Amino acid sequence: MGLVKSEIFTAQQNSLANFAKAFGHPARVAILQHLFKINSCICGDLVNEIGLAQPTISQHLKELKNIGLIKGNIEGTSVCYCIDLKNWNTMKKNFGVFLDQDLNLNDSCC
C-alpha cells in the first residue's frame, strides 16, 4: 500500500497547508471577514452579504469547518457559524513562526 503524501511531512507543515487552504479562495476570505465583523452568522445572511448561491456558500462553510477555523451550532432550521478562536489563534501563532523565519537570514545569499 502506498504512503499517504501528507505522512511524509511534519504535523506543523500539514497544519500550515490546511490553514492556508482557507485563504485559497476569495469567498472563504470574505466569509471569514464577515464572521469577524458580526461575530456570528446564519448561512442565509452570508448568501446576501457575499452574493454567491446558498449551495456554494455551504460548501465553503464546510471547508472552513473541516479546517477548523469556524464552528457551527444548529438553531432550529438554520446553522449559526462563528470563528473558532482557539484554532484561529493556533493558526496565527504557527504562521507567525513560519513567516518570521527570514529574521535569521542575511543578504549574502544568491
Side-chain angles (χ1 to χ4, degrees):
M1 183 196 261
L3 185 67
V4 176
K5 295 291 184 197
S6 62
E7 291 179 2
I8 64 173
F9 301 105
T10 67
Q12 183 184 28
Q13 290 166 334
N14 281 302
S15 176
L16 285 171
N18 283 330
F19 284 134
K21 186 191 281 188
F23 301 104
H25 196 289
R28 292 187 204 130
V29 173
I31 289 169
L32 290 168
Q33 288 175 322
H34 186 67
L35 290 175
F36 271 113
K37 183 170 70 174
I38 65 167
N39 200 22
S40 68
C41 186
I42 296 175
C43 185
D45 295 342
L46 286 168
V47 170
N48 295 332
E49 177 71 21
I50 296 175
L52 296 174
Q54 192 277 326
T56 303
I57 295 289
S58 292
Q59 186 61 35
H60 287 299
L61 289 167
K62 179 181 174 186
E63 287 293 322
L64 290 169
K65 192 171 181 183
N66 287 342
I67 292 166
L69 291 179
I70 66 171
K71 53 188 175 181
N73 297 315
I74 297 173
E75 295 179 1
T77 59
S78 299
V79 180
C80 183
Y81 292 95
C82 63
I83 301 293
D84 186 322
L85 287 178
K86 179 182 176 230
N87 287 337
W88 182 263
N89 287 326
T90 297
M91 179 201 62
K92 283 182 11 181
K93 179 183 171 209
N94 289 343
F95 269 109
V97 169
F98 178 73
L99 294 172
D100 284 342
Q101 292 180 102
D102 65 336
L103 297 178
N104 296 322
L105 295 178
N106 57 39
D107 284 335
S108 66
C109 182
C110 342

